[in-house]
Amino acid sequence: HSLSYHIMAVVTLLGVAQDGGRPQPGCTRSCCENLTEQDYRCPVSLAVQTMNGTTLLVEATRDLGRQLRMIDNPSIDHLFITHAHLGHVDGLGLFGRETMSARHIQLHCSPSMRALIETTPAWNQLLQQNVFEFSEFPRVEIDDVVVEFI
């Protein structure tokens, strides 16, 4: 028998560690000592690639480069920021001129996170350079994917 599959969105967990990853910077406890490359973990992040080729990223971590290489470095179409803890946002600047030179990424976040981005000079500069454009919140439908902030 021939099996046919309906290709749907592909979800890839890009990290599972606390904001600083594993090992945590400055950690001297046994959990961070003598690690092999296989023991390293990226901060929490998630990628969704839709059936139409649209790429959604949840969180912008300091390990953004490594995490994007896990999924073959696609351009990011939508970025979702869940909250303002540094480990979830410290990769925002990597989308800018000096690194990725990204343009017109749809940025989905809460009104309070939006206000923080607008009033933080380095992040506001990314808005001025058209790296990010604020988009729908709290429910977003993109191709075959629905994202809802609850």
Side-chain angles (χ1 to χ4, degrees), residues 42-57:
C42 291
V44 67
S45 183
L46 181 83
V48 180
Q49 294 171 300
T50 73
M51 65 182 189
N52 293 336
T54 304
T55 302
L56 293 63
L57 182 66

Side-chain angles (χ1 to χ4, degrees), residues 6 9 13-14 37 56 58-59 73-74 77 86 89 100 103 105 107 109 133 139:
H6 176 71
L13 190 58
L14 300 173
E37 190 65 30
L56 293 63
V58 179
E59 312 304 10
N73 280 315
D77 302 296
L86 193 56
V89 298
M100 294 174 66
R103 293 285 179 272
I105 295 173
L107 181 58
C109 59
E133 299 171 356
R139 180 180 165 84

Side-chain angles (χ1 to χ4, degrees), residues 15-147:
V16 296
Q18 178 61 303
D19 293 0
R22 181 175 183 225
Q24 289 274 324
C27 179
T28 57
R29 295 175 27 198
S30 61
C31 59
C32 293
E33 298 272 326
N34 303 314
L35 299 180
T36 66
E37 190 65 30
Q38 290 77 26
D39 296 323
Y40 283 60
R41 296 290 180 266
C42 291
V44 67
S45 183
L46 181 83
V48 180
Q49 294 171 300
T50 73
M51 65 182 189
N52 293 336
T54 304
T55 302
L56 293 63
L57 182 66
V58 179
E59 312 304 10
T61 79
R62 67 187 70 206
D63 276 345
L64 182 64
R66 182 186 305 177
Q67 290 171 316
L68 292 181
R69 284 189 298 277
M70 292 178 194
I71 54 172
D72 297 325
N73 280 315
S75 60
I76 302 300
D77 302 296
H78 295 263
L79 175 61
F80 296 81
I81 300 295
T82 61
H83 62 286
H85 283 172
L86 193 56
H88 299 254
V89 298
D90 59 357
L92 283 173
L94 297 174
F95 288 100
R97 244 182 230 162
E98 295 80 5
T99 307
M100 294 174 66
S101 286
R103 293 285 179 272
H104 308 291
I105 295 173
Q106 299 303 298
L107 181 58
H108 307 271
C109 59
S110 69
S112 60
M113 187 69 220
R114 178 180 178 148
L116 182 62
I117 290 169
E118 290 174 330
T119 58
T120 301
W123 294 340
N124 185 276
Q125 183 177 2
L126 297 171
L127 297 174
Q128 301 308 313
Q129 295 172 354
N130 297 313
V131 173
F132 298 116
E133 299 171 356
F134 288 112
S135 197
E136 301 113 275
F137 174 88
R139 180 180 165 84
V140 185
E141 295 184 28
I142 302 162
D143 301 338
D144 54 334
V145 174
V146 175
V147 178

